[in-house]
Every structure is written in structure tokens, then in C-alpha cells.
């Protein structure tokens, strides 16, 4: 299992697999082939079907500029859903042909590689981590710090500051998101109307929703966000942490610790299953983000390791089967609203875990395995293709 530094990435939205990953690949090409005169890029499967809405072609062109780039779009189900093939030319001569897979969360692998990043964690299941931490009488945060080293705190502080800035920028930005859907930003409206609700619970939900909309709208606009664990799910964890800061008055050092716990949960999902919507559907993205946020919230609330596990499990369990069906390929509908719903659900899952963890029957490891198998069984058209679900039935009304 890799460092959580490879899970939390800071960069431009709207998609970690369709924007960040391709940008990283294009930069590698640019650095390696100094003599190239033009590049032909073939985008396959999910990248072919939703790449334009996710700005895949745009970010590759921008990264390789001023080298001319042409694009081909192709379906080949024998290939990974997010495959790119770069043909690099010097005049009429083909210098190289490079196959790259964007495997989720901004990670890329070349050819038959398994991973580009070194595994540093000695344990690969929540069960083993929990047993080790209990034996040593340390918290999950202390476990992460033991493996990653004390410098992880500085990295997580940077991640938190970025998340906070993203939420705060989104809360004050109005207008319409880029793209043909003409979706209006709603975060500023939600925050302005937060006091119009009659009950405390409704006010709380409105605040959490505003924070999630703020981060997700920044992502949809191509702003600076943090993958948590992906761009498409980047509003869930920041919303919960920002709510803990603003409403619960939790100090920043505790929030940074909770980020380590969230990262550990996300890392387990990434290692044992997938965080890619093109592989597992939205359950792998927003479902994973909800688990991470639920675990972070439970940690801040002082819950035990078993309770944190239960919070993360409940959060994932009730996202099982969630499809990824972005309308017109934009990370807007249903993605933004879905982040808000998941942020509220994460807090609710943490609340349930406080009272019910001693009655649980399902482990976190089991629900991660279940999510992965569910994603593999899901029809490919429901996994980030914009060919099914809401994307199929949407007729351009009620924008």
C-alpha cells in the first residue's frame, strides 16, 4: 500500500482520471521526447466517450503546447477503461508508441506496469491495521505517522489548507459553470440562505451542503482542488472537515490528524479495490469519499478504532451499486449534488457508529471487496461513459 501522499493530489479539476492523469502522462512525453514535432493521441473507452466533457483533449493540448496534437477516439473493451495511446513523431518518423492507463485518483501506469509508486505500508487490511494499533495502544493517526514519518503532518497541513481555500473560494463565487449544460453555481445561495431553515438539523445540512457544493463547483470549473480520493468526489471530505472547523470549532491540528485517518481508509480502498469511476462506478468515487469522511468525523469525535471502522463501512455500504452517469460527460450533474448528499451521509454514518458499532456484522474489508465485485459486475455503460442512466434520459430541460 502506497503513501497517502499519492492519494491526496492537488491540481486542476474536473477529473482526476480524465484530466490530472492525462496531464501527467503528457508532461512525461514532453520531458522525454525533446525532438518530437507532433503527437497523435488515441483516447479509448471512457476517455473517448466523456473525455471532451472532462477536458481530456484540452489538458493534453495545453500540456504539450506548442507541439501540435491530433486526437482519435476509439472503443476497445479489451483495454482498460481509461487508456491513452501516444504516438510520438519527428516529422514523418514514428519515434515511439506509448500506452498509458489512467487508473484513478490521478495515477497513471505505462504498458504492463502494476504501479509506479512504492508500497510502504506493512499492513493491507483494516483488520490487520486495527490489530496492530490495538496491540501497540496507538491511534490510527499515530499508525499513519509511524509508517509515513513525522513529515506527513506538514504534507497533510498543506492538503487541509488547499481544501479550505477551495471551499472558501467556492462559497463566494457565483455565475454559470463552463459547458453546454449552463449549470448555475449554488454554493453561495445555500450559504446565504442557511439561516432561513427552521430546525437545527436542516440548518446543519444546508451548511454541509454549501461547503460540498463550493468545493465541487470549483472542481467542475477546473479550479484548484484536492483529490479525496478523486476530483469527482473532491467535495465530500472538505465539506465535513470545514463543517467541523466552522460549526464544531475543532482545532486545525485535530483536523490534520483526521486527514491521516481519512487517507488511510482511502488507501485501503484504492489498494484492495478501486477509486476509479470508469472501473467501479460512482460507488468507487463518492462512496469511497463518504467512507473517508465518515472515518475522519468519527476520529474527531473521539470514537474507538472499531467505531471508526463501522462509520467507514456504513458509509460505503449504502453507496453500493451507485452508477457513474455524468450528463454530457461533464462533472456537474449528478456529481455536484451527489457530493453534498454524501457529506451529510458521512456525518450520519459517524453518528450511527457511536451507538451501534458493537452490533455490527459487516467488516470494512468485506464491504470494500463487495464494492469492487459490484463494480466489476456493473454494465460498462454505467461507468463514466455518459451513455446510460441520467445521461441517457436527460433531454436538456430543468437546467
Amino acid at each position: 500500500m502506497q503513501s497517502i501522499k499519492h492519494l491526496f493530489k492537488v491540481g486542476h479539476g474536473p477529473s482526476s482520471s480524465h484530466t490530472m492523469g492525462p496531464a501527467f502522462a503528457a508532461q512525461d512525453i514532453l520531458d522525454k521526447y525533446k525532438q518530437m514535432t507532433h503527437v497523435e493521441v488515441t483516447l479509448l473507452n471512457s476517455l473517448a466517450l466523456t473525455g471532451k466533457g472532462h477536458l481530456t483533449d484540452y489538458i493534453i493540448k495545453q500540456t504539450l503546447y506548442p507541439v501540435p496534437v491530433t486526437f482519435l477516439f476509439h472503443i476497445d473493451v479489451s483495454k482498460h477503461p481509461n487508456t491513452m495511446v501516444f504516438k510520438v513523431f519527428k516529422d514523418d518518423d514514428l519515434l515511439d508508441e506509448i500506452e498509458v492507463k489512467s487508473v484513478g485518483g490521478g495515477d497513471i501506469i505505462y504498458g504492463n506496469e502494476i504501479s509506479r509508486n512504492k508500497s510502504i505500508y506493512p499492513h493491507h487490511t483494516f483488520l490487520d491495521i486495527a490489530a496492530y494499533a490495538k496491540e501497540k495502544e496507538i491511534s490510527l493517526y499515530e499508525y499513519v505517522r509511524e509508517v509515513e514519518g513525522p513529515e506527513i503532518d506538514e504534507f497533510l497541513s498543506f492538503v487541509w489548507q488547499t481544501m479550505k481555500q477551495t471551499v472558501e473560494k467556492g462559497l463566494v463565487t457565483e455565475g454559470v459553470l463552463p459547458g453546454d449544460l449552463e449549470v448555475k453555481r449554488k454554493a453561495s445561495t445555500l450559504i446565504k440562505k442557511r439561516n432561513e431553515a427552521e430546525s437545527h438539523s436542516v440548518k446543519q445540512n444546508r451548511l454541509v451542503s454549501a461547503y460540498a457544493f463550493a468545493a465541487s463547483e470549483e472542481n467542475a470549473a477546473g479550479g484548484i482542488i484536492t483529490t479525496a480520493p478523486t476530483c469527482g468526489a473532491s467535495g465530500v471530505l472538505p465539506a465535513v472537515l470545514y463543517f467541523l472547523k466552522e460549526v464544531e470549532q475543532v482545532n486545525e491540528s485535530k483536523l490534520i490528524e483526521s486527514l491521516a485517518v481519512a487517507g488511510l481508509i482511502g488507501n485501503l480502498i484504492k489498494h484492495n479495490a478501486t477509486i476509479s469511476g470508469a472501473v467501479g462506478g460512482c460507488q468507487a468515487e463518492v462512496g469511497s469519499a463518504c467512507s473517508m469522511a465518515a472515518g475522519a468525523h468519527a476520529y474527531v469525535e473521539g470514537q474507538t478504532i472499531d467505531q471508526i471502522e463501522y462509520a467507514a463501512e456504513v458509509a460505503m455500504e449504502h453507496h453500493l451499486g451507485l452508477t457513474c452517469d455524468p450528463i454530457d460527460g461533464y462533472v456537474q450533474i449528478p456529481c455536484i449534488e451527489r457530493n453534498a448528499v454524501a457529506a451529510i451521509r458521512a456525518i450520519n454514518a459517524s453518528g450511527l457508529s457511536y451507538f451501534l458499532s458493537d452490533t455490527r456484522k459487516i467488516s470494512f474489508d468485506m464491504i470494500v471487496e463487495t464494492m469492487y465485485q459490484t463494480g466489476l459486475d456493473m454494465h460498462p455503460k454505467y461507468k463514466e461513459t455518459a451513455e446510460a442512466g441520467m445521461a441517457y434520459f436527460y433531454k436538456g430541460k430543468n437546467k
Side-chain angles (χ1 to χ4, degrees), residues 2 107-110 112-119:
Q2 303 162 3
D107 283 352
I108 55 174
I109 57 178
Y110 289 86
N112 295 319
E113 282 182 333
I114 303 299
S115 173
R116 303 182 75 200
N117 301 314
K118 180 182 176 182
S119 177

Side-chain angles (χ1 to χ4, degrees), residues 9-10 16 27 71 82 87 94 115 118 140 146 154 170 175 177 197 223-224 296 309 350 361 364 373 377 394:
K9 297 184 179 72
V10 174
S16 46
Q27 186 62 53
F71 289 91
N82 292 331
K87 287 186 176 181
L94 177 65
S115 173
K118 180 182 176 182
L140 293 178
E146 179 181 295
E154 183 178 354
L177 293 171
I224 297 295
E309 178 187 4
S350 174
K361 303 289 186 182
F364 178 73
Q373 189 59 53
D377 290 342
Y394 179 76

Side-chain angles (χ1 to χ4, degrees), residues 325-340:
D325 51 353
I327 292 176
D328 287 356
Y330 294 106
V331 191
Q332 298 177 14
I333 304 173
C335 318
I336 296 171
E337 197 172 87
R338 191 169 282 174
N339 274 253

Side-chain angles (χ1 to χ4, degrees), residues 23 26-27 30 55-67 69 71:
Q27 186 62 53
L30 188 65
L55 305 182
T56 307
D57 55 344
Y58 170 80
I59 198 66
I60 290 175
K61 279 185 177 180
Q62 288 294 107
T63 305
L64 291 176
Y65 182 82
V67 178
V69 187
F71 289 91

Side-chain angles (χ1 to χ4, degrees), residues 349-382:
S350 174
L352 282 174
S353 68
Y354 183 79
F355 293 104
L356 301 177
S357 65
D358 59 340
T359 68
R360 67 188 178 94
K361 303 289 186 182
I362 310 299
S363 71
F364 178 73
D365 295 325
M366 175 187 164
I367 213 64
V368 170
E369 183 180 7
T370 303
M371 182 274 285
Y372 188 45
Q373 189 59 53
T374 301
L376 295 179
D377 290 342
M378 193 182 294
H379 194 287
K381 68 182 181 181
Y382 289 102

Side-chain angles (χ1 to χ4, degrees), residues 10-11 154-173 185 187 210-219 223-226 234-235 237-239 241-243 245-246 252 255 259:
V10 174
E154 183 178 354
F155 170 77
L156 291 173
S157 177
F158 166 70
V159 168
W160 164 237
Q161 295 305 319
T162 304
M163 286 181 170
K164 186 168 59 173
Q165 291 166 11
T166 301
V167 171
E168 290 172 349
K169 182 178 180 183
L171 287 174
V172 297
T173 305
R185 286 179 177 255
Y211 303 149
F213 266 81
S216 296
E217 287 170 352
E218 281 299 296
N219 174 66
I224 297 295
I225 55 89
T226 305
S234 61
L237 182 57
L241 296 185
Y242 200 83
F243 174 81
K245 169 187 173 290
E246 289 293 300
E252 300 218 342
L255 294 176
L259 259 179

Side-chain angles (χ1 to χ4, degrees), residues 271-285:
H271 180 80
N272 294 309
T274 182
I275 56 171
S276 169
V279 175
C282 197
Q283 57 170 4
E285 295 201 40

